[in-house]
Amino acid sequence: MAGVWRKLVVWGIGIVSAAALAAAPALWVALEKDGLHDPANPAIKLLQQPAEALAPLPRDTAGNQVRWVQALDSGAIAPRTNLLPETKVRVLDQDIIVSKFGSMPAVKFPHRQHTLWLDCSNCHNALFKDKIGANKFSMVAILNGEQCGLCHGAVAFPLTECNRCHSVPNESLRKPAAAP
Ligand code: HEC
Ligand code: HEC
Ligand code: HEC
């Protein structure tokens, strides 16, 4: 990992990444100490503490310490999929390999894990064109909070989890027999 970091810094994006990767708290901060809630307000006792709500869920080592896809898949949480009965829930089970054969393992974008939470229109076509290879991805843009970085590091697992996106060894793609 040290080599990769050196490369990013050499690219001149070290400053950007330092801000984007600001370390997450190791534990859940109590509401009265989070700097957002008024600790003097008696109503604070009516609110559920993050630790109480999140501790029973599958743990992660990053972000807000919950492995959300696992929480959903295991049934630990069962959020409502729609408010209006006429809303059509669309789940797409398709992985797309965004491959450049660079210094990192290739990126696998999983549609299923996204469409369990999001609608197609959250990404298509304003953010990403719905055509393989039609988008020009860049790690610099992502670290700047664009593309995947619009959500990752904000509302989804943080960008420090390199291997969760860069999950496919380049060698496995080079062999025609193992192509996806
Ligand atoms: C949210 C998903 C995501 C995360 C997390 C992520 N990346 Fe990327 N990264 C991408 C995408 C998408 C590309 C563009 C892929 C391409 O075109 O090859 C990319 C491209 C890159 C590239 C240029 C292509 C290459 O392989 O040389 C490097 C270097 C890179 N990322 C390093 C990192 C490092 C280091 C981390 C962790 C600190 C990281 N990335 C975390 C999605 C991610
Ligand atoms: C979180 C963002 C996101 C969501 C939500 C999303 N997609 Fe995608 N979609 C992508 C990305 C990224 C690609 C890859 C584009 C590329 O390779 O340049 C893609 C590619 C596609 C493609 C091209 C596949 C091909 O074989 O050419 C289609 C079709 C598509 N999406 C349809 C959908 C549909 C239908 C939904 C809803 C059920 C959906 N997407 C939801 C991000 C998303
Ligand atoms: C519109 C918001 C949004 C965008 C844009 C987005 N993601 Fe995600 N992504 C999510 C959410 C929400 C989850 C589920 C929560 C989590 O895992 O933190 C998720 C989960 C994932 C997972 C699955 C993690 C697991 O545990 O299985 C991967 C891999 C991933 N994203 C990669 C990407 C890549 C690569 C891109 C860019 C091409 C991208 N995402 C763009 C919101 C987004």
Side-chain angles (χ1 to χ4, degrees), residues 97-141:
I97 310 278
V98 182
S99 179
K100 231 185 195 174
F101 298 115
S103 56
M104 293 286 288
V107 172
K108 178 159 89 182
F109 172 83
H111 265 107
R112 190 188 74 89
Q113 284 89 316
H114 287 91
T115 51
L116 287 175
W117 313 86
L118 300 161
D119 186 58
C120 317
S121 62
N122 289 127
C123 291
H124 298 308
N125 279 323
L127 185 56
F128 300 124
K129 295 188 189 99
D130 58 353
K131 190 164 178 284
I132 285 180
N135 300 276
K136 209 165 166 277
F137 293 105
S138 132
M139 197 63 220
V140 180

Side-chain angles (χ1 to χ4, degrees), residues 125-180:
N125 279 323
L127 185 56
F128 300 124
K129 295 188 189 99
D130 58 353
K131 190 164 178 284
I132 285 180
N135 300 276
K136 209 165 166 277
F137 293 105
S138 132
M139 197 63 220
V140 180
I142 293 168
L143 286 164
N144 262 321
E146 297 160 35
Q147 303 179 347
C148 320
L150 201 65
C151 299
H152 289 279
V155 297
F157 71 78
L159 297 172
T160 41
E161 303 309 290
C162 315
N163 299 341
R164 223 172 276 181
C165 289
H166 292 273
S167 61
V168 181
N170 290 318
E171 307 77 62
S172 70
L173 300 172
R174 286 203 178 91
K175 284 189 227 103

Side-chain angles (χ1 to χ4, degrees), residues 85-100:
E86 62 269 27
T87 302
K88 213 171 149 245
V89 178
R90 299 182 283 180
V91 176
L92 177 64
D93 193 357
Q94 184 200 23
D95 292 342
I96 293 180
I97 310 278
V98 182
S99 179
K100 231 185 195 174

